Amino acid sequence: MKEINIALLGFGNVGRALLRQLEKIGEAQDPKINLRAIADSSGALMIHTPELVNVLLTHKEAGRTIKAFAPAAFLAHPADILKAFQREHIHCIVESLPTNIRDGQPALDWLTAALSQGLNVVTVDKGVMVHGFDALQQAAASGNSRLAFTGTTGVAIPDELADDQVVEIRGVLNGTTNYILTAMQEQRLSFNEALGMAQRDGIAEPDPSLDVEGWDTACKILILANALMKADAKLAEVSRLGISDATQSLIDNGRTTNRVVRLVGRARLWQGRVRVSVAPKLLDKDSPFYALSGTAKAAVFRTAERGEFFSYARSGRDAISQIILDDVRSVVGSQ
Ligand code: HSE
């Protein structure tokens, strides 16, 4: 395939960073990826002239809505939008709507319909994968379409895993908490001082609860467990402990025993079931996560047949754009 047409569903930070990245790489892409539609949860616009993209970006960055840009061409109903995507030969939808970790909606309904109608999907939205993993797989099977979700965890699943049985996944999967823990340990800051620094450095959100309470790690380890271990587990079943000023005593313990504290997500096969947990852990020098400081992330996959495979996760805005483009080429290229 010479060119790939995509539709962006979600026009926030991730969607806009992707557009800037596409513009930066321009013609130097193989195959070339063209933006043909932009949608958010209010509706969609088809893009017939590439020059429009920059004007639309400026319009959106000024805080205006997609609808206000071209009210006459605006499509508001999901069924009309999916029909238009088919008509415009969209090869893949890239979804980055705001994550809803309560039930994955409204994105989950959109993506289920799209996949079942034969449209490929690349998503970076943890909510849809946590709440709709099976439904989305079934929709893709019935529509003969493909779904990729590397951007939800940041972790590339090692090719070497092939069809081996994964019996355990461990991961430091959240950059914000690893940054805070690193500052507490290396700079001897208190939890609140380290959190404040992470917020000033633009790493922690103004409301950091999803990260520090372990929700983000819980979603990511759950997605990996559902994808690789057929865990069929729910977010509410994840045993979850985040980080707080109470983590200081664990850090003090680590200091006297040459160990470090990392927030570890873990999924393991135990008595016939996959148990999923998140908690700060003391790790010694032998741990693959010992030297993983700052916003770095990584995961280890243990298989029944061939031991452990290590994978770094990519993070940051440029990285997420690259992950999306890789996923798009992979789902479209493999058809
Ligand atoms: N808030 C996440 C982190 C980034 O700190 O890793 C998105 O997954």
Side-chain angles (χ1 to χ4, degrees), residues 12 16 20 27 108 114 117 185 204 207 246 257 273 284 292 328:
R16 297 205 297 270
R20 279 193 217 92
E27 299 297 314
L108 184 52
Q117 291 174 35
Q185 293 172 98
D207 174 6
T257 53
R273 278 192 55 204
D284 61 29
L292 204 68
V328 167

Side-chain angles (χ1 to χ4, degrees), residues 124 126 151-154 173-178 203-205 210-211 216 220 295 297 315-316 320:
V124 299
K126 291 179 269 280
T152 58
T153 63
L173 299 169
N174 180 265
T176 304
T177 47
N178 208 43
I203 287 160
E205 302 285 339
L210 286 182
D211 290 324
D216 182 70
K220 289 169 176 167
T295 55
K297 311 181 214 179
S315 59
I320 195 77

Side-chain angles (χ1 to χ4, degrees), residues 9 93-95 106-116 119 121-123 125 128-129 136 139 147:
L9 178 50
I93 296 174
V94 173
E95 188 257 326
L108 184 52
D109 284 347
W110 272 87
L111 299 192
T112 310
L115 286 163
S116 61
L119 285 155
V121 169
V122 165
T123 182
D125 176 357
V128 295
M129 294 307 297
L136 292 170
L147 167 71

